[in-house]
Amino acid sequence: MLDRADQAAFEAFARGSSDRLLRTALLLSGDHGHAEDLVQTALLRTARRWSAARRDPDAYARRVVVNLARDRWRLLRRRFGEAPLEIDVAVPVTDGLADRELLVAAVRQLPPGQRAVLVLRYFDDLSVADTAAALGCSTGTVKSQTARALDRLRAALTSEREKTSADR
């Protein structure tokens, strides 16, 4: 499949990027087992297309992970009666937001496209253009989806804080 030099380059890439790809896949899929499967499949597809991927293997593999996650979302949408997946991701605490569970629950309620935009923009720290390239959409779509997702998160977190304050 790969000659020795390409194999060494691919293995170095895989070692260096697996953790980042796994975090992205976990945030997109919400399930650790599925995230590991997404990363394994993405690395396999990247290795198969190494001649094209070697120019920017991080972007290539990230795009494969996003596409695989989309395929999974479509499959799950067609199934009936499945329980929502639990996300177990370390989310940094910033600006006084101390309740990780509220944030994870709010992110879980986002539509898959909005969740993907937030994961790529804020967790993977991609630019608008890089996010658009990873998702295969325009920069305007990334901006509008980001704004909508952030509005939904603010609304969900505000209502939860108000409920918590009222309960006290």
Side-chain angles (χ1 to χ4, degrees):
M1 191 155 99
L2 296 173
D3 64 26
R4 286 190 189 268
D6 283 345
Q7 185 172 352
F10 172 75
E11 287 175 1
F13 158 72
R15 275 191 301 276
S17 66
S18 291
D19 289 341
R20 279 190 315 274
L21 289 172
L22 182 61
R23 184 193 65 201
T24 300
L26 183 56
L27 289 165
L28 292 172
S29 71
D31 178 77
H32 201 274
H34 289 292
E36 289 175 342
D37 291 345
L38 292 175
V39 170
Q40 256 186 345
T41 303
L43 289 174
L44 178 63
R45 289 184 183 181
T46 303
R48 284 184 183 157
R49 301 276 307 180
W50 187 249
S51 60
R54 87 173 98 205
R55 284 175 280 161
D56 192 356
D58 286 318
Y60 190 94
R62 186 182 315 106
R63 175 108 189 226
V64 173
V65 167
V66 168
N67 288 338
L68 290 170
R70 279 184 179 162
D71 292 345
R72 185 169 177 276
W73 294 329
R74 288 181 190 119
L75 176 67
L76 290 176
R77 235 183 295 156
R78 288 185 225 136
R79 292 185 182 175
F80 298 102
E82 287 194 12
L85 299 172
E86 294 298 319
I87 300 175
D88 185 22
V89 178
V91 176
V93 176
T94 58
D95 295 334
L97 180 63
D99 197 349
R100 173 184 169 273
E101 295 301 319
L102 286 176
L103 180 60
V104 171
V107 170
R108 193 179 307 135
Q109 299 304 313
L110 293 174
Q114 291 178 7
R115 186 184 325 165
V117 167
L118 287 185
V119 167
L120 295 174
R121 287 280 292 128
Y122 298 108
F123 287 94
D124 284 356
D125 200 25
L126 296 182
S127 68
V128 172
D130 290 341
T131 301
L135 294 174
C137 64
S138 71
T139 57
T141 299
V142 170
K143 291 175 184 179
S144 66
Q145 290 295 307
T146 301
R148 288 182 186 129
L150 291 174
D151 285 345
R152 285 182 114 172
L153 281 178
R154 279 186 203 102
L157 294 173
T158 300
S159 68
E160 284 299 319
R161 285 184 189 153
E162 289 170 358
K163 286 180 192 175
T164 305
S165 296
D167 291 341
R168 289 182 187 174

